[in-house]
Amino acid sequence: MNTTYLVDTEGNKIAVQIPIAEWNLIEEEMQKLRKKIEILQGIKEAVVEVKTARKSGKKLQTLNDFLNEF
């Protein structure tokens, strides 16, 4: 990666510059990771919902019933 560091008057790094093509790749990867996190959070919430329903005796919709709705 071709990076350029910007420094203050004391030589401390305060910013970095990278080529736009590399930045675009980083943004694409970040978007994929955000989507993955969103999916995993949804699965986590579903697991909690199922556990709560089982404890309370609530009947949940089966996967077959869900798929048959469409």
Side-chain angles (χ1 to χ4, degrees), residues 50-63:
V50 168
K51 286 180 180 180
T52 302
R54 284 184 177 165
K55 284 181 182 178
S56 69
K58 181 180 176 184
K59 182 159 173 50
L60 296 173
Q61 183 180 31
T62 66
L63 178 58

Side-chain angles (χ1 to χ4, degrees), residues 35-52:
K35 188 65 175 175
K36 185 175 183 177
I37 288 169
E38 183 180 321
I39 291 168
L40 291 173
Q41 286 175 333
I43 291 170
K44 182 179 177 181
E45 290 172 10
V47 168
V48 169
E49 183 179 339
V50 168
K51 286 180 180 180
T52 302

